[in-house]
Amino acid sequence: MPNHPFDYKTWIRQHHDDSIQFKEIGADHYELGNAAGSATIRFYDNDLVEISIARKKDNEIQYYLHFQIKDKEHAQQMYLEMIEALKAMEDEQVVKILLCCSSGFTTSYFAQRLNEAAKQLSLDYEFDATSYFDLYSRAEGYDMILIAPQIGYMLKKFKKALPKKRVCQIPTSLFASYNTGAAFSFIQEQLKEYRQQSQKKSALLESCRLDCPMHQETVLAIAELYDGNSIQVYIHIYKKGEVLFDDVVIKPNFQKVVLFDLIQYALGQVEGVDLIVLAVPGIIKEGTIIDFPQRGLKNYPMKKRIEERFHIKTTLINNTNAVALGYAHLHPEHEIVTYHSQPYGRAMGGQGTVVHQNLINGMSGISGEIKFFLPRMQFSNELARLAKTDFGTQEIVTNALLPTISLIGPDIIVLRAPLINDLEELKKRIATFIPCDAMPEIVMIEDIKPFLFRGIAEYACSFLQETE
């Protein structure tokens, strides 16, 4: 690490929190931790610092970022934010396990027995029970889901809808005998297996490489995705269509994602970036101004601010629109493509539509912003409650798609909705409103990143052609 006016390593050694264990593994490698989590700080050339935090109970990466030391206050803030996140994990040290059966009665008794045994054995387990009707609405607060044998036929469905949770079926012999000792052994085996799987996933960091139809320019693409638990920010740098660099940053919410810091870090990896493209949530007006209340931005001139700071041409695209554009270009056989995103447990999704390979933005970027009409439609229950169930999510998605089908008439709808397990049932529901000859094809996708980055590439090409 080159000499720097601010000695960050020394400052960390002198200021580490007494409640956090600190260990210097090497000159460029520190490890910190408490009972709930472990943090790693690595130092690289060019004043680059990598910070990651893994939760001990399941080895899931909860916090991951790179930054480049530019000033003392910023570097200190990054460290203090990491310590804050590590301390917050102490409240999550207990492994919370939710038992589920058809009514919740039999699992309630078993959960009571397990809590009593865990207390006697001083195990950090906490058990609760629910019926499968309420599973989706309650699952978010638990680390592991155990379903009773009588609803074992729903295991595949629950696993698909809850990809971030460890979902298992309780062995019949164990459940029938209420054998708490065997239950603890089973839970420990399942958690161990899950941790091993998590280690493999975190090592890969879900890299997404893609051949892109870029021009000769070097393009920095940054895309934000919300997966129901955290914000994942993917960073790619392309040159002549080749991926020169890719990375990912994980933060708990949008407020913790500082785009200017990410851009600064990325620009330090490859010289001569000609264009910056951001694919982010929110209303984007003419590719320049972002309106995103969740981030506290209202009519914020993002493009102008980035260009003033970094002196590089910049453009923005809504991330849902980028997925729609990417899918349309990878599937040119479709004339009108609509992509609908319904995040897990969220009442409001978003849509993007491409007609003959051209993205529809609408006046002031309003196209696809279903939040302006969906709350005014009639539903069988509150939107927040419907969004927690498979059946309720189908109702939300149906009402969100009907105006699009009626007014635009797409020949295919591409859907990402983790809570919808029965696509055929959704098609039947929509078909009760739409004539057969106007019914679009509906397909479900799980991994949207290939479409997202292809859409960013196409959007960048169009922008470069327009500005030549």
Side-chain angles (χ1 to χ4, degrees), residues 207-262:
S207 164
C208 177
R209 296 189 176 276
L210 179 68
D211 290 330
C212 305
M214 288 292 185
H215 292 293
Q216 300 300 309
E217 287 83 352
T218 301
V219 178
L220 165 60
I222 297 179
E224 291 184 327
L225 293 178
Y226 175 69
D227 69 354
N229 293 290
S230 61
I231 309 302
Q232 297 178 356
V233 187
Y234 294 90
I235 305 170
H236 288 192
I237 299 178
Y238 301 98
K239 185 172 185 179
K240 299 180 181 179
E242 296 294 328
V243 181
L244 298 183
F245 175 80
D246 69 281
D247 205 347
V248 62
V249 170
I250 302 172
K251 288 294 189 76
N253 54 56
F254 284 108
Q255 285 71 29
K256 295 292 185 181
V257 178
V258 183
L259 288 173
F260 289 94
D261 288 348
L262 295 178

Side-chain angles (χ1 to χ4, degrees), residues 96-100 132 135-136 139-140 142-148 151-171 186-187 190-191 193-194 197 201 344 419 421:
K96 300 184 69 176
I97 301 171
L98 184 63
L99 279 63
C100 177
Y132 72 85
L135 177 59
Y136 294 132
E140 192 169 342
Y142 293 85
D143 306 299
M144 188 177 190
I145 312 295
L146 296 179
I147 69 169
I151 58 170
Y153 64 92
M154 302 181 76
L155 179 62
K156 185 176 180 181
K157 173 182 178 179
F158 292 151
K159 282 186 172 182
K160 181 178 181 296
L162 302 168
K164 296 293 181 179
K165 305 292 181 182
R166 182 60 168 174
V167 185
C168 311
Q169 180 181 328
I170 306 172
F186 174 74
I187 290 167
Q190 294 298 319
L191 288 175
E193 180 182 332
Y194 186 64
Q197 293 174 355
K201 289 180 182 178
Y344 173 83
L419 263 183
N421 290 281

Side-chain angles (χ1 to χ4, degrees), residues 347-360:
M348 290 299 149
Q351 292 180 5
T353 296
V354 177
V355 178
H356 299 298
Q357 309 284 296
N358 294 309
L359 179 64
I360 305 301

Side-chain angles (χ1 to χ4, degrees), residues 388-426:
K388 300 294 186 180
T389 68
D390 180 358
F391 187 80
T393 302
Q394 287 198 32
E395 183 177 349
I396 292 173
V397 171
T398 298
N399 283 10
L401 288 175
L402 286 176
T404 303
I405 297 172
S406 300
L407 296 173
I408 299 177
D411 54 289
I412 185 170
I413 290 174
V414 183
L415 179 65
R416 181 174 183 262
L419 263 183
I420 292 182
N421 290 281
D422 193 340
L423 185 59
E424 293 306 313
E425 184 61 33
L426 176 68

Side-chain angles (χ1 to χ4, degrees), residues 89-104:
M89 286 185 183
E90 292 179 342
D91 297 331
E92 305 174 1
Q93 184 176 348
V94 174
V95 178
K96 300 184 69 176
I97 301 171
L98 184 63
L99 279 63
C100 177
C101 65
S102 54
S103 63

